Amino acid sequence: MATLVRLTSVWKSFGAVQALRDVSFDLLGGEVHALVGENGAGKSTLVKVVTGAHVADAGTVEIAGQAVLHNDPAVAKSLGVATIYQQPALFGDLTVAENIALRCERGGTFRIVRWAQRRRRAAELLARVGATISPDAVVRDLAMPQQQLVEIAAALGSEARVLIFDEPTSSLSDREVENLFRVIAECRRDGVGSIYISHRLEELPRVADRVTVLRDGEHVATRPMADVSRDELIRLMVGRSVDTIFPKVQVPIGEVVLAARGLSSSAAGIHDVSLAVRAGEVLGLAGLVGAGRTELARVLFGLERADAGRILIAGRCADIRSPADAIGCGIAYVPEDRRRHGVVMEMSVAANTTLAILRRICSVGMIRRGQERRIAEGFVERLGVKTPSIDAPVGDLSGGNQQKVALARWLAAEPAVIILDEPTQGVDVGAKSEIHRLMCELAGRGMAVIMISSELPEVLAMSDRVAVMRQGRIVGELARAEATQERVLAMALGHAQEAPA
């Protein structure tokens, strides 16, 4: 097959940070080429060189057999390159059909918009990726997994010859993942080449033909996917053996810190939820996408109002009507979508770290910058945040390091309860292990941890107890020793129910 993309000896730096060092990479027609590495390894920079978002400092870029001397997003698009980003790059106030049309339609400024045809085309593309979404739905009203499917549909509609998938399954259900793999297989048969970036290494043998590993901005290896094991990939990625990704440490479990009794919210779709989490305990919330886990977290944190039921903190009723009330009660919440709600991308690491404690570090309306810097430096060191400085914008950091900054913000507030919604989504195995270690450290200090995760191995390995949700209800709880993938899935699917403990 013809070579669709060829990068030869590409270098790229940002100030003193060398993001790519003499990297070569190629993509063949009809091939799925996986690109893996830890956060900060250079994957995103390489992709941005291909798409024209970044211009290489040295080296050559060829797309569709043409040497591209002055690449930019418009040039890359004209050469048939389309990207599906982990965080959907959609216009929230436009409809699904309008967003897809912006990617797919061509023409001059003055032309007739054929609305019926536009909706039909959007519906066809959505059906192709297995999405049951109305073309007239406003994107802002869609959940993250739905937005991801719209992004994929739009890329397919652009009739690109090179598709770049950046963590495409991070927020999709198992059924949606299967649909995506089916679509990728169809594209392969049509001669389309795909660059597939994923931290879910177990997916790669199913979808990829070759795999390239980057580490610290350098090319480490390119191998046929069939010739490399998961353990070997991890060793190549981190430069050392990783004995365990789930460093669970058993710590003493104390008294109940937070309890919900008959909690309901019509706005959030939560019905008669009762649960409790104790000091030193990691309570895992499991369930399928749309089961109500994130919605329950939003009610506990005051982002959605409860219609009935009670929330108790250390045995006392708490009136939580807003996030400020929740923070005052010692509750912290790290949301699933860190880019939109977890951190402020344009602000510095230091400013993000102290956002939740501004009153503590302010005097006569002015932030004490020295104190802000000391706090930020302490958390950067403690959490191992890789950043050029605490003055760097969080948007310049890798996904795993953004997640650590989001954690630092709430740890600075010294909460009694921390709710972690998909804490390791879209981060590499090294960062995942570090976040798991931090969870154990927090539990060891007596903090109560509620962890929401769609990765069952993570839930089973890190939880002291697992609560399973379905259709906005807790349908059962399992002690750590009793929890298995089969039992949790059966309860999540409604095939078995056990009374909450």
Side-chain angles (χ1 to χ4, degrees), residues 30 61 73 92 121 129 166 219 236 248 266-267 316 340 367 440 464:
V61 178
R121 177 61 172 155
V129 299
D166 185 1
H219 176 270
L236 290 169
K248 177 65 175 174
S266 56
R316 296 184 177 181
R340 289 178 60 194
I367 297 174
C440 293
D464 296 292

Short mmCIF file of all heavy atoms in Angstrom, two decimals, residues 30 61 73 92 121 129 166 219 236 248 266-267 316 340 367 440 464:
data_model
loop_
_atom_site.label_atom_id
_atom_site.label_comp_id
_atom_site.label_asym_id
_atom_site.label_seq_id
_atom_site.Cartn_x
_atom_site.Cartn_y
_atom_site.Cartn_z
N GLY A 30 -4.65 1.83 4.40
CA GLY A 30 -5.28 0.61 4.88
C GLY A 30 -4.66 0.06 6.16
O GLY A 30 -4.89 -1.10 6.49
N VAL A 61 8.12 16.54 6.36
CA VAL A 61 6.77 16.01 6.50
C VAL A 61 6.21 15.77 5.11
O VAL A 61 6.19 16.69 4.28
CB VAL A 61 5.85 16.99 7.28
CG1 VAL A 61 4.43 16.44 7.36
CG2 VAL A 61 6.40 17.27 8.67
N PRO A 73 -3.33 23.77 9.47
CA PRO A 73 -4.54 22.94 9.50
C PRO A 73 -5.32 22.91 8.20
O PRO A 73 -5.85 21.87 7.81
CB PRO A 73 -5.36 23.56 10.64
CG PRO A 73 -4.32 24.12 11.56
CD PRO A 73 -3.24 24.65 10.66
N GLY A 92 -20.48 24.37 20.95
CA GLY A 92 -21.53 23.98 21.88
C GLY A 92 -22.90 24.55 21.59
O GLY A 92 -23.92 23.92 21.89
N ARG A 121 -27.73 13.89 5.92
CA ARG A 121 -26.33 13.48 5.90
C ARG A 121 -25.82 13.24 7.32
O ARG A 121 -25.12 12.26 7.59
CB ARG A 121 -25.48 14.55 5.22
CG ARG A 121 -23.99 14.28 5.19
CD ARG A 121 -23.67 13.01 4.44
NE ARG A 121 -22.23 12.85 4.26
CZ ARG A 121 -21.63 11.68 4.08
NH1 ARG A 121 -22.34 10.57 4.06
NH2 ARG A 121 -20.33 11.61 3.92
N VAL A 129 -21.84 5.32 12.96
CA VAL A 129 -21.03 5.10 14.17
C VAL A 129 -21.87 4.54 15.31
O VAL A 129 -21.41 4.43 16.44
CB VAL A 129 -20.31 6.39 14.61
CG1 VAL A 129 -19.38 6.88 13.54
CG2 VAL A 129 -21.30 7.49 15.01
N ASP A 166 -7.46 10.24 18.80
CA ASP A 166 -6.77 10.57 20.05
C ASP A 166 -7.64 10.13 21.22
O ASP A 166 -8.62 10.79 21.56
CB ASP A 166 -6.50 12.07 20.12
CG ASP A 166 -5.67 12.47 21.33
OD1 ASP A 166 -5.28 11.57 22.11
OD2 ASP A 166 -5.42 13.67 21.51
N HIS A 219 11.88 8.46 19.48
CA HIS A 219 11.35 7.21 18.96
C HIS A 219 12.08 6.05 19.62
O HIS A 219 13.31 5.96 19.58
CB HIS A 219 11.55 7.17 17.43
CG HIS A 219 11.13 5.88 16.80
ND1 HIS A 219 11.99 4.82 16.64
CD2 HIS A 219 9.93 5.48 16.29
CE1 HIS A 219 11.36 3.82 16.06
NE2 HIS A 219 10.10 4.19 15.84
N LEU A 236 8.71 -0.63 27.28
CA LEU A 236 9.23 0.31 26.29
C LEU A 236 8.76 1.74 26.58
O LEU A 236 9.51 2.70 26.39
CB LEU A 236 8.76 -0.10 24.89
CG LEU A 236 9.38 -1.38 24.31
CD1 LEU A 236 8.62 -1.80 23.05
CD2 LEU A 236 10.86 -1.18 24.01
N LYS A 248 -2.69 -0.93 45.54
CA LYS A 248 -3.64 -0.82 46.64
C LYS A 248 -2.96 -1.14 47.96
O LYS A 248 -2.28 -2.16 48.08
CB LYS A 248 -4.83 -1.75 46.41
CG LYS A 248 -5.86 -1.77 47.53
CD LYS A 248 -6.55 -0.44 47.70
CE LYS A 248 -7.66 -0.51 48.76
NZ LYS A 248 -8.24 0.82 49.03
N SER A 266 -34.88 14.91 40.74
CA SER A 266 -35.52 14.74 39.43
C SER A 266 -34.67 15.36 38.33
O SER A 266 -34.60 14.83 37.21
CB SER A 266 -36.92 15.36 39.44
OG SER A 266 -36.85 16.74 39.82
N ALA A 267 -34.00 16.47 38.64
CA ALA A 267 -33.18 17.13 37.63
C ALA A 267 -31.99 16.26 37.23
O ALA A 267 -31.59 16.21 36.07
CB ALA A 267 -32.68 18.48 38.16
N ARG A 316 -24.20 14.41 61.02
CA ARG A 316 -25.08 15.59 61.12
C ARG A 316 -25.62 15.95 59.74
O ARG A 316 -24.90 15.91 58.74
CB ARG A 316 -24.31 16.78 61.70
CG ARG A 316 -23.84 16.57 63.13
CD ARG A 316 -23.18 17.82 63.66
NE ARG A 316 -22.78 17.66 65.05
CZ ARG A 316 -22.19 18.62 65.77
NH1 ARG A 316 -21.94 19.80 65.21
NH2 ARG A 316 -21.86 18.39 67.03
N ARG A 340 -12.76 21.21 30.90
CA ARG A 340 -13.85 22.19 31.01
C ARG A 340 -14.14 22.57 32.46
O ARG A 340 -14.47 23.71 32.75
CB ARG A 340 -15.12 21.62 30.38
CG ARG A 340 -15.06 21.52 28.86
CD ARG A 340 -16.32 20.91 28.30
NE ARG A 340 -17.51 21.68 28.62
CZ ARG A 340 -18.75 21.23 28.48
NH1 ARG A 340 -18.96 19.99 28.05
NH2 ARG A 340 -19.78 21.99 28.76
N ILE A 367 -4.20 38.78 46.64
CA ILE A 367 -3.62 37.45 46.81
C ILE A 367 -2.17 37.59 47.27
O ILE A 367 -1.39 38.35 46.69
CB ILE A 367 -3.67 36.65 45.49
CG1 ILE A 367 -5.13 36.41 45.07
CG2 ILE A 367 -2.94 35.31 45.63
CD1 ILE A 367 -5.27 35.76 43.72
N CYS A 440 -4.34 5.95 47.61
CA CYS A 440 -4.02 5.16 48.81
C CYS A 440 -3.45 6.06 49.90
O CYS A 440 -3.75 5.88 51.09
CB CYS A 440 -3.02 4.06 48.47
SG CYS A 440 -3.68 2.79 47.38
N ASP A 464 -12.34 -0.52 48.41
CA ASP A 464 -12.60 -1.35 49.58
C ASP A 464 -14.03 -1.90 49.54
O ASP A 464 -14.30 -2.96 50.11
CB ASP A 464 -12.42 -0.51 50.86
CG ASP A 464 -10.99 -0.03 51.01
OD1 ASP A 464 -10.10 -0.87 51.24
OD2 ASP A 464 -10.75 1.19 50.88
#
